Amino acid sequence: VQLQASGGGLVQAGDSLRLSCAVSGRIYNSYFVGWFRQAPGKEREFVATIMWRGGRRYYADSVRGRFTIFRDSDKNTAFLQMNSLEVDDSAVYYCAAATEYATIHNLYDYWGQGTLVTVSS
């Protein structure tokens, strides 16, 4: 499985941004595609994840209600819609795939390159 994240940029607090994760290769229906983020000096943290088929989705408490993860299976792309962005959301965002539900980055086997999101006050 190969993943490629895109869509990062510089925005102001309160703005919205949508990240995309193009998925290629053999991804099974039961796989989960998730988003993680890592700010300078901090550990990589879970943001959200979605089952590739079926749509079960899970969020970190810090983003629930502001971020939405969804996928377009026909286009093999997962998205992270980020609304009401806060300065603390600034980080490099990564998309990744796991063979089963997980919120721990070590359990994700496949990773894309990161995309930088910077939120200014």
Side-chain angles (χ1 to χ4, degrees):
V1 179
Q2 295 81 43
L3 306 103
Q4 184 164 355
S6 61
L10 172 63
V11 298
Q12 292 187 326
D15 284 353
S16 298
L17 200 61
R18 179 177 293 183
L19 305 182
S20 300
C21 177
V23 181
S24 60
R26 181 169 293 184
I27 183 166
Y28 293 97
N29 293 345
S30 59
Y31 279 28
F32 279 76
V33 173
W35 288 93
F36 289 78
R37 65 187 183 187
Q38 188 165 18
K42 295 187 177 181
E43 294 190 356
R44 191 167 297 190
E45 66 170 348
F46 169 75
V47 176
T49 192
I50 186 169
M51 180 182 264
W52 195 240
R53 301 282 182 180
R56 289 165 53 195
R57 60 195 77 185
Y58 304 88
Y59 298 93
D61 289 343
S62 59
V63 306
R64 186 177 293 112
R66 298 188 298 122
F67 291 10
T68 302
I69 187 171
F70 60 100
R71 83 276 184 262
D72 184 334
S73 299
D74 291 338
K75 295 182 179 179
N76 274 6
T77 302
F79 301 92
L80 185 69
Q81 177 66 42
M82 304 185 294
N83 298 331
S84 302
L85 281 162
E86 303 170 354
V87 173
D88 286 347
D89 294 320
S90 297
V92 176
Y93 283 71
Y94 299 89
C95 61
T99 58
E100 58 185 6
Y101 168 71
T103 61
I104 301 173
H105 65 83
N106 288 346
L107 298 181
Y108 280 72
D109 299 304
Y110 310 96
W111 288 85
Q113 88 294 353
T115 185
L116 178 62
V117 173
T118 303
V119 184
S120 64
S121 59

